[in-house]
Amino acid sequence: MQNLSSKEQWRIWSQVALQSFGGPAGQIAVIHRLIVEEKKLLSEDRFLHALNFCMLLPGPEAQQLATYCGWLMNKWRGGLLAGGLFILPGFISILLLSYLYVIYQDLNFVQGLFYGLKSAIIAIVLGALLQISKRSLKTFFHWLLASIAFIALFFFNISFPYVVVAAAVTGMVQGKWFAHHELLAPASTELPSVSRTVKTFLIWLLIWILPIVLTIFIFGTDSTFHAMNVFFSKMSVVTFGGAYAALSYVAQKAVEVYGWLQGPEMLDGLAMAETTPGPLIQTVQFIGFMGAYRFPDVSSPYVAAFIGSVLATWMTFAPCFLWIFTFAPYVEFIRGKKLFSDALQAITSAAVGVIFNLSVWFVLKALFTNSKTFVGYGLNFEYPLFTSIQWLATGICTVALMMQFKFQQSLFRTLGVAMLLGVIVKYAL
């Protein structure tokens, strides 16, 4: 591995950050092209090992992959630089768009832009689902795991952490009993220092919880800020399977439990994250913005919204640095052990079912105005009232699907056409 100067690292990770559009699949491709193919800073095997570990972690795999690669190059300084720069452009972009959203939301032009965007998001998510499926579902067993995960989540409303644990155990059992695997030699024979591990963990845990302590001291435990801190901290721990999987959990809780925003607004936030650089999970920043704006703990809702944006971002990404800096040395140590790979592959397969669940949720919110919930016989799921279908939104979604899958158009061209159609619809009505 090459030794890079701080200036060279800044240049590389700035390029990654500014080109990281289109969700985790596109962002991972950008990191791979710059780090493996062009700069040859990591080998293909080392990169895939890092990617597999990051897909196992809760939270955004693309941002964590950037952090891991930066850590491999220059330990915590490189990881902090890579992970921090990956977040910064998206944070600034979404903050500006969020203020424009609440100030000019009543304008037909702005409404039209987001009307078209959230109709096109379905096509974008399905495109990501197809790419991840091709990469992850290599056998009938993995397809079966993905299907069971979707059924458990959508029809039985089972919590995703239970699905993850069950998938990991099933993967290890299947790998041990039904397939012959050679135990490969570990990449390193030296275990990481326990004292250094504990020190690293405690430092980043303190960084993570510091805003929680401050908001309790200033605003109390009944404040919106405290509720956001707790919620987004919990999300950062339990949402496995990447950004799409995390947003499936966040969307339902933020809309249906806390009421921080409405279903269509959630799609608007996702559209912002899709069209700005940075990780897709940055959608949580918009959720924090809207929740604090709607239920402000300070006199100005605009100031509250800014604080909500910062807190949501902090609680989402501080744990990512904790996971990488604490566990990356151990992941390097166990590199090559097949049992770990079996569990990881099973979890990745289950995450495909999660993304499909998210796709169905988007369809319900973007293309229908009313839905009902069926509860009984152990089932608990929401289904649309087909009489409430929005035909114009469905038409825009169909155009986006054709551009995405039939004509293989770029993300920006697809979203641009969808936004134009959305503006035309709003001015025509």
Side-chain angles (χ1 to χ4, degrees), residues 20 44 56 62 74 98 110 117 123 144 156 177 181 194 230-231 239-240 244 253 282 294 313 317 319 327 332 357 397:
S20 58
E44 185 75 25
L56 178 63
N74 196 23
S98 298
V110 176
L117 277 173
L144 183 62
F156 293 93
W177 288 2
H181 294 308
V194 175
V230 173
F231 172 72
T239 48
F240 295 83
Y244 286 106
K253 296 295 183 182
Q282 198 73 46
R294 192 156 282 154
T313 303
F317 291 104
F327 298 114
E332 287 298 300
N357 180 55
C397 180

Side-chain angles (χ1 to χ4, degrees), residues 96-381:
L96 294 174
L97 287 173
S98 298
Y99 276 112
L100 291 173
Y101 184 85
V102 297
I103 294 172
Y104 299 108
Q105 191 176 17
D106 292 334
L107 294 179
N108 280 339
F109 179 76
V110 176
Q111 287 183 340
L113 288 178
F114 283 99
Y115 184 82
L117 277 173
K118 61 192 175 190
S119 300
I121 285 299
I122 296 170
I124 304 303
V125 174
L126 288 176
L129 176 65
L130 182 61
Q131 290 183 2
I132 295 173
S133 298
K134 288 180 178 178
R135 186 177 65 201
S136 305
L137 307 182
K138 299 177 181 179
T139 67
F140 172 78
F141 172 72
H142 296 132
W143 277 99
L144 183 62
L145 276 182
S147 302
I148 293 174
F150 169 73
I151 292 170
L153 290 163
F154 183 78
F155 289 102
F156 293 93
N157 201 24
I158 295 175
S159 180
F160 183 65
Y162 296 118
V163 176
V164 167
V165 172
V169 172
T170 304
M172 288 189 290
V173 170
Q174 191 268 347
K176 187 175 181 62
W177 288 2
F178 299 102
H180 174 71
H181 294 308
E182 180 183 358
L183 185 62
L184 302 178
S188 171
T189 57
E190 183 181 351
L191 271 171
S193 167
V194 175
S195 60
R196 180 175 295 178
T197 299
V198 172
K199 181 181 177 181
T200 301
F201 180 83
L202 292 176
I203 288 173
W204 280 97
L205 181 63
L206 179 62
I207 292 172
W208 178 3
I209 67 174
L210 182 61
I212 300 177
V213 176
L214 290 176
T215 52
I216 290 176
F217 180 76
I218 298 172
F219 300 103
T221 56
D222 294 330
S223 65
T224 301
F225 293 147
H226 179 66
M228 288 183 174
N229 284 336
V230 173
F231 172 72
F232 288 114
S233 292
K234 179 182 177 182
M235 177 211 71
S236 67
V237 174
V238 303
T239 48
F240 295 83
Y244 286 106
L247 290 173
S248 176
Y249 170 83
V250 171
Q252 292 174 338
K253 296 295 183 182
V255 173
E256 298 169 9
V257 176
Y258 293 98
W260 289 331
L261 72 175
Q262 300 173 355
E265 291 173 335
M266 177 66 197
L267 293 175
D268 293 338
L270 183 62
M272 287 185 191
E274 284 279 12
T275 52
T276 53
L280 186 62
I281 195 65
Q282 198 73 46
T283 306
V284 301
Q285 178 188 343
F286 178 73
I287 298 171
F289 182 98
M290 291 300 297
Y293 177 83
R294 192 156 282 154
F295 304 103
D297 289 325
V298 295
S299 57
S300 171
Y302 295 107
V303 174
F306 175 77
I307 297 173
S309 288
V310 173
L311 291 177
T313 303
W314 190 288
M315 294 300 133
T316 300
F317 291 104
C320 296
F321 293 103
L322 184 151
W323 310 140
I324 298 299
F325 294 153
T326 302
F327 298 114
Y330 293 91
V331 175
E332 287 298 300
F333 176 78
I334 65 173
R335 185 157 49 96
K337 292 186 181 293
K338 195 61 181 174
L339 190 64
F340 178 83
S341 300
D342 291 334
L344 175 62
Q345 181 63 59
I347 291 174
T348 305
S349 301
V352 174
V354 177
I355 298 171
F356 187 47
N357 180 55
L358 177 65
S359 303
V360 174
W361 189 87
F362 284 157
V363 169
L364 287 172
K365 300 302 178 183
L367 305 185
F368 298 89
T369 56
N370 294 307
S371 61
K372 285 188 175 183
T373 301
F374 177 87
V375 179
Y377 307 102
L379 300 171
N380 183 357
F381 65 92

